[in-house]
Amino acid sequence: MKSFLFNTLGLVICTLLTGARSQGRVPPLVATEFTANFIQNKFNHNGFVVNHTCSGTYYSSYTQQMIRADCTVVDLSSNNHSQPSPLTSSVSISLLDFTKSPPLNTVLELTNLANGSTCATYEASWLPPFSQTFLRDVNAIYAGDEVTAEYGLCEKWTFEIAQIPGPIFTFYFDSFANLVRYDFYVLGDPVQGNVGVTNKFYNVLTGDKTLLPPTLFDGSGKCPHESSAGHPASSLSMKLR
């Protein structure tokens, strides 16, 4: 009788545990090699609405540990685009090299044809190229579903990362399990208050390590002329000031 009761209890516990596991969600895998058209917007939740827009092409390679973003940019001209001010525009290439320690960002920027381009290199502050299990490795939490205007129904996963303290990230996956958007925001920044950034991907192309040729990422740390001082306005950066 005792044996029957123990066996029955064990079966019930096993069934309950199995049911609980089946209700849990496992973060999706992420493409390690991809390129896409993308639009980045930065918001300050202080009445100044969108103050930075970057539109162009994004390349990310986990095997090469490189990211490149080619952008046409429109910004507010104030420091870090955080105050009402005239609009400025530029064209830029931002090359992030995660083979170096610390990671290096090389930025070439053209604001007009008369002045020519400027170039700067500095420590990169950006998410590295994603491994396939990136979201699982950072213990991402399922954040519900959202119907978006661009992609329809998306599944959301949110997380923080120790290497870049401050931002809270949210990844969006469409019904085909493609990463189509990721956002990050910081609450209570001493300069800008609450800040949000959205990165939306279109025409996503994924593949193996041969998708993106190494020549796409040539020139890391090699400005073609003397580097300009300061932080280029259009570079990819999670530093808010």
Side-chain angles (χ1 to χ4, degrees), residues 20-140:
R21 284 196 298 269
S22 67
Q23 293 173 16
R25 289 177 178 261
V26 177
L29 299 175
V30 184
T32 59
E33 312 287 318
F34 74 93
T35 181
N37 300 121
F38 83 113
I39 298 176
Q40 180 188 82
N41 285 322
K42 176 186 170 190
F43 306 83
N44 287 95
H45 303 287
N46 54 10
F48 306 145
V49 294
V50 177
N51 52 20
H52 165 88
T53 297
C54 170
S55 176
T57 307
Y58 192 91
Y59 309 88
S60 180
S61 172
Y62 178 74
T63 56
Q64 299 179 66
Q65 285 296 293
M66 301 287 283
I67 292 173
R68 171 176 162 174
D70 301 351
C71 276
T72 300
V73 183
V74 177
D75 290 312
L76 295 181
S77 59
S78 61
N79 181 35
N80 206 31
H81 335 303
S82 59
Q83 300 296 327
S85 53
L87 289 175
T88 63
S89 63
S90 63
V91 177
S92 75
I93 297 176
S94 187
L95 184 62
L96 290 81
D97 184 352
F98 291 87
T99 68
K100 301 184 183 302
S101 182
L104 183 68
N105 192 353
T106 305
V107 181
L108 185 70
E109 187 174 59
L110 179 66
T111 55
N112 60 58
L113 295 178
N115 294 337
S117 62
T118 59
C119 184
T121 60
Y122 56 95
E123 183 177 345
S125 175
W126 195 252
L127 287 178
F130 308 128
S131 68
Q132 194 175 42
T133 58
F134 174 77
L135 288 178
R136 301 175 188 182
D137 298 338
V138 297
N139 298 314

Side-chain angles (χ1 to χ4, degrees), residues 22-30 135-136 140-148 150-159 169-183:
S22 67
Q23 293 173 16
R25 289 177 178 261
V26 177
L29 299 175
V30 184
L135 288 178
R136 301 175 188 182
I141 298 171
Y142 174 65
D145 294 335
E146 180 178 330
V147 178
T148 65
E150 300 93 339
Y151 315 109
L153 182 65
C154 287
E155 187 176 283
K156 300 190 297 183
W157 293 83
T158 188
F159 63 93
F169 299 89
T170 302
F171 278 29
Y172 288 68
F173 291 83
D174 66 12
S175 57
F176 300 99
N178 294 315
L179 174 64
V180 291
R181 169 180 166 180
Y182 77 84
D183 304 347

